[in-house]
Amino acid sequence: MTEMMTTQAGDPGAFRDFDLSRVPSPCFVVDEAAIEANLKVLRHVADASGAKVLAALKAFSMFATAPLVSKYLDGTCASGIYEARLGREEYGGDVATFCAGYKDSDIDEIIALSDHVIFNSPTQKDRFLAKCQAAGVQVGLRINPEYSVGEVAKYDPAAPCSRLGTPISQLTPEVLEGVDGLHMHVLCEQGVDPLLHVWSAVEFKLIPYFKLLKWINFGGGHHITRADYNRDVLIHLLKDIRQKYDLDVMIEPGEAVALDAGILVGEILDTFTNNMNIAITDISATCHMPDVIEAPYRPAMLGEVDHGSTYRLGGPSCLAGDVIGDYTWPSPLSAGQRFAFLDQAHYSMVKTNTFNGVPLPAIALWNSVTDELRVIREFSYSDFKDRLS
């Protein structure tokens, strides 16, 4: 299993000096100072390019950081009614909502909560267009560029037969009737070059329609706050599109808001040998880091070494595949020992579940500059029970 995985890059940053015993286990710990550093980078991109930058709540929706996010970004993008409500209630600014399919019972509230409502198909757009226009809400249509730059097929919105977006080859003036803007999301934790390739493939196909539109939204997946991301190229691209086609431009980074800004602290529960060293932890891949199994990927660990005592880490659930990976410590492990996985603020936090009755990790906010630490939330039996009743 581990031979098939790639290790997720992670910069420990100030967490190198964080005392893991300061929080309950398991626990997500988010560095407020690291979040702010990322937000300053995103604000620079917005100011230099003239584009609007919206925080993707699907990747990071820890609303304890909402005042900080709102200070730097222009709003949020939501994937449905609950995220739209969270964006409106906690973050303010613009709320852009996209869902692959809207329910009749939700659409009135979604329209009331949103500044932009983006539809996946002309059929849904036509169905709800009058309601949007009556409410004065901007109408968007997600397009599929039919040009793939995805590195993993299951996360590639432009893969063949994708359910996401209207194929660009199907655009017509009639399809775009009542549409204020286009939404195009094709990236997944990528640099600027894939975006350039996609834009080169679709720009001339879209030129006939730009005069009908007010804006274009390039979605998320932009790893703008990564050290090797070429932000100057992105700024030039967004600025050029704005000026050349007289369009407002938006991007919706998610991972970039919280990149390398959080860890998941865990504890060793037991160790034994079965052809190799095994360690059971209170962190479950299945319940706390499902992307480890779904992607799959191998999360980087704080303080891992190349040579020493290697253990296969697994969670407490009954699922045989609840395995995180093989990791090496300088010396043998013992029950009660703390450890932490890096870069866990985005996606891991929003994907946790209580399968097997495994408790949810606590959530803590730390400031690496002031050393202030607040445990924002600890979960209990009622959080498991109430969702099943």
Side-chain angles (χ1 to χ4, degrees), residues 40-373:
K40 287 179 178 178
V41 170
L42 296 174
R43 186 67 254 165
H44 167 69
V45 169
D47 291 340
S49 68
K52 284 188 175 182
V53 179
L54 308 177
L57 295 180
K58 65 182 177 182
F60 181 66
S61 54
M62 182 182 176
F63 61 91
T65 65
L68 189 60
V69 173
S70 303
K71 177 181 174 182
Y72 289 96
L73 302 190
D74 299 295
T76 56
C77 65
S79 300
I81 189 167
Y82 288 163
E83 286 186 0
R85 183 173 174 180
L86 186 68
R88 179 60 67 209
E89 290 181 353
E90 299 292 339
Y91 292 81
D94 289 345
V95 176
T97 305
F98 165 80
C99 186
Y102 294 103
K103 299 178 69 171
D104 285 339
S105 56
D106 291 344
I107 193 65
D108 289 341
E109 186 175 355
I110 286 173
I111 290 172
L113 292 166
S114 307
D115 298 284
H116 298 169
V117 176
I118 300 163
F119 296 97
N120 193 54
S121 72
T123 305
Q124 280 234 316
K125 181 266 296 184
D126 291 341
R127 186 175 170 190
F128 299 121
L129 178 60
K131 285 190 172 187
C132 290
Q133 290 179 331
V137 170
Q138 295 273 304
V139 172
L141 179 68
R142 178 166 177 166
I143 61 171
N144 187 319
E146 299 179 278
Y147 182 91
S148 177
V149 292
E151 298 172 349
V152 179
K154 72 173 72 174
Y155 296 126
D156 181 6
C161 304
S162 172
R163 65 187 173 85
L164 296 172
T166 301
I168 194 170
S169 60
Q170 296 180 17
L171 291 186
T172 64
E174 290 73 28
V175 164
L176 292 177
E177 185 177 352
V179 171
D180 297 296
L182 297 178
H183 181 281
M184 183 174 67
H185 172 54
V186 293
L187 305 184
C188 180
E189 299 186 351
Q190 289 172 293
V192 72
D193 286 346
L195 178 62
L196 293 175
H197 296 324
V198 173
W199 182 244
S200 295
V202 304
E203 179 179 9
F204 290 102
K205 297 177 182 179
L206 294 176
I207 285 177
Y209 307 114
F210 285 146
K211 62 181 180 295
L212 305 174
L213 303 172
K214 298 175 182 176
W215 50 266
I216 187 166
N217 184 328
F218 286 104
H222 315 274
H223 251 200
I224 299 168
T225 52
R226 200 172 67 199
D228 63 350
Y229 190 98
N230 195 329
R231 291 183 281 272
D232 290 338
V233 172
L234 176 67
I235 289 167
H236 180 270
L237 174 67
L238 300 179
K239 189 174 182 178
D240 183 63
I241 293 170
R242 286 182 57 248
Q243 294 176 345
K244 185 186 295 185
Y245 299 115
D246 192 26
L247 292 171
D248 289 333
V249 177
M250 287 167 273
I251 54 174
E252 300 173 340
E255 306 97 332
V257 174
L259 191 67
D260 289 326
I263 59 174
L264 178 55
V265 176
E267 185 173 294
I268 302 299
L269 304 178
D270 188 25
T271 62
F272 57 91
T273 301
N274 182 3
N275 295 316
M276 68 174 296
N277 292 326
I278 307 292
I280 304 300
T281 81
D282 60 355
I283 292 177
S284 165
T286 307
C287 301
H288 305 150
M289 299 187 296
D291 278 342
V292 168
I293 296 174
E294 294 173 7
Y297 87 100
R298 178 186 183 276
M301 188 181 74
L302 180 68
E304 186 179 12
V305 298
D306 293 329
H307 303 286
S309 299
T310 299
Y311 292 79
R312 177 159 295 175
L313 296 186
S317 81
C318 71
L319 183 72
D322 189 359
V323 175
I324 302 167
D326 298 350
Y327 294 85
T328 303
W329 280 262
S331 56
L333 295 176
S334 58
Q337 189 168 332
R338 292 289 180 94
F339 65 98
F341 292 113
L342 300 172
D343 199 25
Q344 294 302 308
H346 60 86
Y347 282 112
S348 289
M349 288 183 69
V350 298
K351 286 190 172 187
T352 55
N353 64 78
T354 59
F355 169 69
N356 257 205
V358 173
L360 297 170
I363 299 173
L365 189 62
W366 176 56
N367 189 304
S368 59
V369 175
T370 66
D371 199 38
E372 180 185 359
L373 176 68

Side-chain angles (χ1 to χ4, degrees), residues 11-58:
D11 181 354
F15 288 111
R16 288 187 183 91
D17 302 317
F18 182 77
D19 180 358
L20 303 182
S21 69
R22 295 176 67 185
V23 294
S25 181
C27 183
F28 289 107
V29 184
V30 174
D31 181 3
E32 190 174 25
I35 294 287
E36 185 164 24
N38 286 337
L39 292 170
K40 287 179 178 178
V41 170
L42 296 174
R43 186 67 254 165
H44 167 69
V45 169
D47 291 340
S49 68
K52 284 188 175 182
V53 179
L54 308 177
L57 295 180
K58 65 182 177 182

